[in-house]
């Protein structure tokens, strides 16, 4: 008799292990780790995931009392190593085990049990499936066949097929009723029908010029050094980490491509993570042009069917390299030799819903468990990674830094001019551009080059403010300032999506909701405003392309805008954060930052680091080709160390300053920080609940080694979201502490309550 260890899909932290079920003989060969099965649990049927199988029951289990697996619901999606990783994640991030295992299922699988209207439990199965295309081809008899004169459709079909096999769907688009004709001809043995697997979404290609970048003839010294370090880490097979610390344009992608090539030559697989927004056609194109169909792409902009097909290429062994967003870590590759995380400093590698994992940490654990190497790449590495490299190791594996300080072929880093906006009277008068930036833009137009203009607006979009009382209209359901949309004259809440029409200033009927004053002014600038000013400033033959959440909402819009920018002779690309990363256009000679400091003021201990990353990244878009580039940064805080670091391309003093501040305040990387949030409709209940939890936790951490701090409870910065009041408790623990289990135990000690939602965020990035 064989037994399966099954995790029931009940998303609660209370179920943190697996249960034994006997495998019936007819399922003995098919029921293996990674399968989805139906089992009985607590007197009802539940969906479960098999994490391992064994010849004996687990210790302490009476084999006579073990129930059987009832049904198989889905074939294996992961192996035992991946299941072990899910168990690790559940502990590390205080997350429900089932939610971690779900990350590893085939895209589109939602198999669950629900109560029907009659009160019975029923199974709802949704699984994405492979799709086949019907192809038609002429047989030998068909090629000799001459249709009758008046059978015109038949003749058209035979003529089309004479050129070679075709998809029936395609044929039907050319000749109406072709499907019927094909069936009739097939019956007579004149046409052969074949089913071929279709890979959805695989046909998209891009014209972006550098998408087909040729292989360089000679690697730089930095690139060779990085490849040597990666080679050692791959051979060591113990999860060693190499941080490729290379300035923008130093050729990091080239290093990844070569490293993957070497790993593939050993017959091992590779996983490449790229931030979702820089997973552009340009990036994908570079991997495709080197590895062709051996690459699968996984990201959230694909349809479920497309994602399933890509996933299935990996599972079936048709592709061995996956390039994708965060979730590509869980792709079904068992023989991983290399994991690469590009732009490793990116905040988006932290998942903001349960399980709230950080891809960098999960990748390190995955590499360790698979005996692979982990490569982290960035021009602006996170302070966490820099600190681990300085220490030389972290959690028992080696961390090494490979530095690439130069751009290949003598391209130089652009000169940076910081413009102090406090001494720019002209700018206050209405224009968003300082004289320096305006002149630089006009020169670009004159020289027929290209420019990129960043509007830094995370957290501070454009809003209306009363000039008498300073009141900013906020959403009545959420404590967020409403964003003002100039073109539609509306105020929108970006937390809950509510929209109100306004009659905008200077319409005399607009009044302050607080004091009734008519003097409402628009603060902060939007991308539309910058676009409008650019069109007025520049000659008409300069293309202005705007890229923000609005213009990239539809599928493929992002790529189209970039292609438009690429194809233009002379153009300015205006956009938000999304233009800062990964763009590689050699003709860009100017990068402008309209407002550099808005992110510096956010109430977040990483504000300075994030601002530095953003500015250095966007500055790196200039001067990647033969012509030198320049950068103009407008700011009201020119003396801040983060701005200074970008101005001089010198990271050292900023990193030292920032690490000092962090150490003093006991913030990461010198501690681990967790954020526990309570939310509910009743403010008093939320308040009580948070207080009880904080008291409980304080008592528990007293005896733990190292310095633990429990701060709060306090009101969250976003004190109300969708009518729910929010309070939080922030925990600081020693950098090596196991925070997840401590928080789990404290949370589980609270009596169950449905009216307050508790969420635990270990290694939190969003503290608002
Ligand atoms: P990064 O990822 O570090 O920003 P890329 O890999 O995009 O840099 O490289 C920047 C540009 O330099 C690309 O156009 C790339 O084709 C080119 N490049 C990379 N390595 C070399 C090399 N050794 N010699 C010449 N050109 C190179
Ligand atoms: Zn007012
Ligand atoms: Zn709202």
């Amino acid at each position: 008799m064989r037994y399966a260890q099954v995790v029931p899909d009940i998303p609660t932290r209370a179920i943190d292990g697996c249960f034994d079920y006997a495998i019936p003989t007819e399922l003995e060969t098919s029921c293996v780790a990674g399968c989805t099965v139906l089992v009985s649990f607590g007197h009802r049927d539940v969906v479960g995931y098999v994490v391992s199988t064994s010849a004996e029951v687990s210790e302490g289990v009476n084999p006579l009392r073990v129930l059987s697996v009832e049904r198989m619901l889905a074939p294996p999606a992961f192996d035992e190593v991946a299941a072990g990783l899910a168990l690790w994640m559940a502990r590390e991030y205080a997350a429900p085990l089932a939610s971690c295992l779900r990350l590893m299922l085939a895209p589109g699988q939602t198999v669950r049990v629900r109560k029907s209207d009659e009160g019975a439990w029923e199974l709802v199965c949704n699984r994405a499936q492979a799709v086949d295309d019907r192809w038609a081809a002429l047989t030998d008899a068909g090629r000799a066949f001459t249709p009758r004169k008046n059978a015109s459709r038949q003749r058209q079909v035979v003529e089309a097929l004479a050129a070679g096999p075709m998809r029936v769907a395609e044929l039907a688009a050319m000749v109406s009723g072709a499907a019927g004709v094909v069936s009739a001809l097939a019956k007579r043995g004149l046409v052969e029908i074949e089913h071929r697997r279709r890979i959805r979404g695989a046909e998209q290609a891009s014209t972006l010029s550098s998408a087909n970048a040729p292989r360089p003839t000679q690697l730089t010294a930095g690139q060779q050094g990085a490849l040597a370090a990666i080679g050692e880490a791959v051979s060591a097979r113990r999860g060693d980490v190499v941080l490729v610390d290379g300035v923008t344009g130093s050729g990091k992608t080239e290093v990844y491509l070569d490293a993957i090539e070497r790993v593939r030559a050993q017959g091992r697989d590779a996983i490449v993570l790229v931030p979702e927004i820089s997973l552009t056609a340009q990036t994908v194109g570079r991997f495709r042009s080197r590895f062709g169909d051996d690459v699968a792409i996984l990201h959230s902009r694909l349809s479920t069917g497309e994602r399933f097909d890509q996933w299935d290429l990996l599972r079936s062994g048709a592709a061995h390299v996956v390039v994708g967003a965060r979730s590509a870590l869980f792709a079904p590759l068992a023989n991983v030799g290399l994991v690469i995380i590009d732009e490793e400093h990116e905040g988006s590698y932290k998942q903001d819903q349960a399980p709230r994992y950080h891809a960098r940490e999960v990748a390190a654990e995955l590499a360790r468990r698979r005996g692979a190497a982990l490569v982290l790449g960035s021009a602006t590495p996170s302070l966490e990674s820099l600190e681990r490299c300085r220490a030389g190791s972290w959690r028992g594996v080696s961390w090494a830094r490979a530095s690439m300080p130069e751009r290949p072929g003598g391209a130089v880093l652009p000169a940076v001019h910081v413009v102090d906006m406090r001494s720019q009277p002209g700018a206050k008068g209405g224009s968003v551009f300082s004289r320096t930036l305006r002149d630089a833009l006009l020169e670009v137009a004159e020289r027929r080059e290209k420019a990129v203009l960043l509007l830094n607006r995370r957290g501070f979009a454009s809003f209306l403010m009363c000039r008498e009382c300073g009141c900013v209209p906020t959403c009545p359901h959420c404590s967020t300032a409403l964003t003002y949309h100039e073109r539609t004259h509306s105020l929108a809440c970006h937390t809950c999506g509510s929209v109100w029409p306004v009659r905008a200033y200077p319409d005399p009927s607009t009044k302050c909701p607080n004091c009734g004053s008519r003097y409402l002014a628009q603060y902060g600038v939007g991308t539309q405003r910058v676009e409008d000013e650019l069109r007025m400033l520049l000659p008409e033959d300069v293309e202005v392309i705007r890229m923000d959440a609005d213009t990239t909402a539809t599928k493929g819009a992002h790529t189209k805008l970039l292609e438009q920018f690429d194809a233009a002779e002379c153009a300015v690309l205006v956009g938000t954060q999304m233009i800062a990363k990964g763009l590689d256009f050699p003709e860009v000679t100017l990068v402008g930052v309209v407002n550099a400091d808005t992110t510096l003021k956010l109430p977040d201990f990483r504000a300075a680091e994030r601002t530095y990353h953003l500015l250095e990244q966007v500055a790196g878009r200039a001067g990647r080709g033969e012509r030198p580039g320049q950068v103009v940064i407008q700011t009201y805080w020119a003396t801040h160390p983060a701005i200074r670091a970008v101005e001089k391309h010198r990271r050292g003093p900023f990193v030292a300053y920032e690490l000092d501040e962090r150490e003093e305040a006991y913030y990461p990387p010198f501690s681990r920080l967790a954020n526990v949030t309570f939310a509910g409709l009743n403010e008093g209940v939320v308040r009580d609940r948070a207080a009880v939890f904080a008291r409980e936790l304080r008592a528990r951490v007293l005896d733990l080694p190292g310095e633990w701090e429990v701060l709060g409870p306090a009101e969250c910065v976003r004190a109300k979201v969708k009518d729910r009041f929010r309070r939080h408790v922030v925990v600081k623990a020693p950098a090596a502490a196991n925070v997840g289990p401590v928080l789990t135990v404290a949370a589980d000690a609270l009596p169950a309550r449905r009216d307050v939602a508790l969420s635990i965020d270990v290694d939190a990035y969003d503290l608002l």
Side-chain angles (χ1 to χ4, degrees):
M1 186 54 113
R2 286 195 66 79
Y3 299 91
Q5 286 73 51
V6 176
V7 175
D9 187 353
I10 303 173
T12 152
R13 268 186 302 269
I15 294 179
D16 58 356
C18 41
F19 300 84
D20 282 3
Y21 289 87
I23 302 177
T25 32
E26 70 272 18
L27 297 181
E28 206 136 82
T29 49
S30 57
C31 186
V32 294
C35 286
T36 303
V37 292
L38 192 69
V39 293
S40 172
F41 186 80
H43 303 292
R44 67 178 178 100
D45 282 346
V46 300
V47 170
Y49 307 113
V50 179
V51 293
S52 55
T53 59
S54 58
E56 309 270 343
V57 290
S58 308
E59 214 176 292
V61 175
N62 178 354
L64 298 176
R65 304 197 49 191
V66 165
L67 300 171
S68 285
V69 168
E70 289 175 24
R71 263 172 71 185
M72 289 282 292
L73 297 175
F78 53 86
D79 64 2
E80 289 197 19
V81 178
L85 184 69
L87 281 154
W88 175 87
M89 288 173 69
R91 276 176 54 83
E92 182 74 9
Y93 295 105
L97 179 50
S99 71
C100 297
L101 285 167
R102 280 188 195 161
L103 297 170
M104 317 208 168
L105 301 176
Q109 171 175 330
T110 52
V111 181
R112 59 205 166 81
V113 179
R114 74 156 180 228
K115 220 167 198 154
S116 72
D117 296 342
E118 292 82 47
W121 292 97
E122 63 180 14
L123 196 59
V124 188
C125 285
N126 273 315
R127 279 171 48 206
Q129 302 281 1
V131 289
D132 284 337
D133 273 332
R134 294 199 313 145
W135 286 70
L138 291 180
T139 60
D140 287 341
R143 264 186 287 276
F145 170 71
T146 325
R148 272 182 296 134
K149 280 245 154 51
N150 55 352
S152 77
R153 277 197 260 165
Q154 217 174 52
R155 205 182 54 243
Q156 282 173 286
V157 166
V158 171
E159 271 167 16
L161 290 180
M166 265 181 97
R167 274 172 45 213
V168 177
E170 220 173 304
L171 208 51
M174 284 166 43
V175 183
S176 72
V181 175
V182 165
S183 302
L185 291 174
K187 273 205 196 92
R188 293 167 58 190
L190 302 170
V191 160
E192 209 167 36
I193 293 179
E194 194 193 349
H195 291 267
R196 289 196 206 164
R197 172 77 186 270
R198 173 156 55 110
I199 303 301
R200 285 160 281 191
E203 52 288 319
Q204 293 148 12
S206 175
T207 63
L208 288 173
S209 55
S210 49
N212 303 308
R215 184 193 295 266
T217 44
Q218 170 81 42
L219 293 179
T220 65
Q223 287 173 321
Q224 289 173 19
L227 278 167
I230 295 169
E232 266 174 49
V234 170
S235 312
R237 291 183 181 250
R238 55 171 184 239
D240 286 359
V241 182
V242 177
L243 172 65
V244 178
D245 179 5
V247 299
T248 49
S250 58
K252 291 183 290 294
T253 312
E254 204 56 48
V255 169
Y256 308 153
L257 293 171
D258 279 20
I260 295 169
E261 210 159 45
R262 295 178 190 190
V263 163
R264 288 293 304 125
Q266 299 171 19
R268 300 169 79 190
D269 308 335
I271 298 175
V272 184
L273 301 195
V274 178
E276 185 88 44
I277 59 171
S278 47
L279 194 53
T280 56
Q282 201 175 17
T283 318
V284 170
R286 288 179 74 177
F287 284 88
R288 275 247 180 278
S289 71
R290 187 73 68 90
F291 301 109
D293 290 342
D294 202 26
V295 184
I297 310 292
L298 281 175
H299 59 79
S300 64
R301 291 187 307 270
L302 299 176
S303 72
T304 306
E306 287 169 344
R307 253 182 301 146
F308 177 82
D309 287 350
Q310 296 294 310
W311 182 90
D312 204 43
L313 287 173
L314 296 161
R315 191 200 51 86
S316 65
H320 299 90
V321 179
V322 57
V323 179
R326 215 166 39 207
S327 63
L329 272 181
F330 311 111
L333 290 173
N335 191 17
V336 180
L338 182 62
V339 182
I340 295 170
I341 303 188
D342 189 29
E343 313 286 7
E344 68 91 24
H345 62 276
E346 267 286 299
S348 62
Y349 283 125
K350 180 72 159 74
Q351 162 120 321
D352 56 7
Q353 287 165 6
R356 297 182 170 78
Y357 67 90
H358 196 299
R360 188 204 303 131
E361 311 303 324
V362 176
E365 184 65 20
L366 174 78
R368 205 178 60 72
R369 287 170 183 258
R370 298 262 186 218
L374 171 61
V375 170
L376 305 174
S378 177
T380 54
S382 63
L383 292 179
E384 281 85 350
S385 297
L386 287 173
E387 184 58 20
R388 289 175 193 179
C389 288
R390 197 195 49 73
S393 75
W394 168 251
R395 288 184 172 170
V397 303
S398 135
W399 281 64
R401 191 172 71 97
S403 146
M404 306 206 309
E406 275 149 24
R407 289 181 167 183
V412 288
L413 287 173
V416 179
H417 310 280
V418 171
V419 179
D420 188 341
M421 295 300 275
R422 286 172 312 182
S423 55
Q424 289 278 321
K428 280 214 191 79
S431 171
V432 298
F433 303 127
S434 60
R435 154 137 288 147
T436 316
L437 185 50
R438 196 162 45 219
D439 290 349
L441 283 164
L442 288 169
E443 280 166 30
V444 165
E446 204 160 289
R447 291 195 307 258
R448 311 303 295 163
E449 293 170 349
K450 289 180 189 173
V452 167
L453 214 48
L454 170 78
L455 189 65
N456 182 10
R457 53 183 279 171
R458 181 185 286 147
F460 284 89
S462 171
F463 51 85
L464 290 180
M465 185 161 113
C466 171
R467 293 199 297 187
E468 303 264 322
C469 75
C471 143
V472 172
T474 53
C475 174
H477 311 293
C478 316
S479 52
T480 18
L482 295 172
T483 310
Y484 174 58
H485 289 251
E486 201 170 345
R487 300 243 166 116
T488 48
H489 295 317
S490 59
L491 285 168
C493 170
H494 282 277
T495 306
C496 71
S498 307
V499 178
W500 289 269
V502 288
R503 267 160 293 173
Y505 176 85
D507 182 316
S509 61
T510 308
K511 285 200 205 110
C512 167
N514 190 37
C515 73
S517 158
R518 293 241 172 107
Y519 297 99
L520 292 183
Q522 188 187 343
Y523 274 74
V525 285
T527 37
Q528 295 172 353
R529 161 90 183 278
V530 178
E531 182 189 351
D532 293 345
E533 269 202 42
L534 273 176
R535 288 195 197 280
M536 281 194 289
L537 173 71
L538 298 172
E540 251 173 38
D541 59 357
V542 180
E543 271 190 69
V544 177
I545 299 162
R546 172 161 66 96
M547 204 153 116
D548 57 19
D550 294 336
T551 60
T552 56
T554 56
K555 196 174 158 176
H558 190 260
T559 307
K560 226 182 254 144
L561 291 173
L562 287 182
E563 282 172 351
Q564 194 187 336
F565 185 58
D566 186 41
E569 188 231 335
C570 172
V572 182
L573 178 67
V574 190
T576 50
Q577 267 75 351
M578 67 175 73
I579 63 165
K581 325 253 159 59
L583 304 187
D584 182 13
F585 295 107
E587 319 82 24
V588 172
T589 52
L590 171 69
V591 166
V593 180
V594 174
N595 51 349
D597 42 75
T598 49
T599 41
L600 275 177
K601 294 170 194 140
L602 289 178
D604 171 359
F605 73 93
R606 288 193 176 88
E609 185 185 2
R610 284 178 168 163
T611 304
Y612 166 69
H613 289 163
L614 175 67
L615 297 179
E616 186 65 42
Q617 293 285 342
V618 75
R621 302 307 122 207
R624 293 167 79 93
E626 272 139 37
R627 281 179 263 185
Q630 68 160 330
V631 179
V632 177
I633 295 179
Q634 303 188 150
T635 177
Y636 287 94
W637 201 346
T639 53
H640 192 283
I643 307 267
R644 283 266 164 85
V646 182
E647 183 174 19
K648 307 258 180 292
H649 292 297
R650 277 193 63 203
R651 187 173 70 202
F654 168 67
V655 170
Y657 159 88
E658 191 60 20
L659 284 175
D660 269 358
E661 299 260 302
R662 300 269 186 100
E663 188 159 25
E664 179 117 334
Y666 197 42
Y667 273 124
F670 301 100
S671 68
R672 284 189 88 174
L673 187 136
N675 186 26
V676 183
T677 310
F678 299 81
L681 292 169
N682 183 319
E683 190 171 9
V685 174
V686 171
R687 191 177 282 273
D688 287 353
R689 191 74 170 172
V692 173
F693 174 80
R695 212 177 309 131
E696 178 78 31
L697 189 62
R698 282 199 173 93
R700 281 169 194 275
V701 301
L702 276 182
D703 301 333
L704 297 175
E707 185 184 346
W708 287 70
E709 285 176 23
V710 178
L711 310 172
E715 200 171 59
C716 297
V717 172
R718 269 183 273 132
K720 202 167 142 202
V721 168
K722 298 183 190 166
D723 294 323
R724 283 175 174 72
F725 295 91
R726 301 172 76 239
R727 292 179 76 75
H728 66 153
V729 173
V730 171
V731 185
K732 291 181 184 172
N738 248 329
V739 182
V742 175
L743 296 179
T744 303
V745 172
D748 291 349
L750 300 179
R753 275 200 80 130
R754 286 183 163 274
D755 51 357
V756 181
L758 179 161
S759 75
I760 299 177
D761 190 355
V762 176
D763 299 335
Y765 272 60
D766 176 6
L767 296 171
L768 306 182

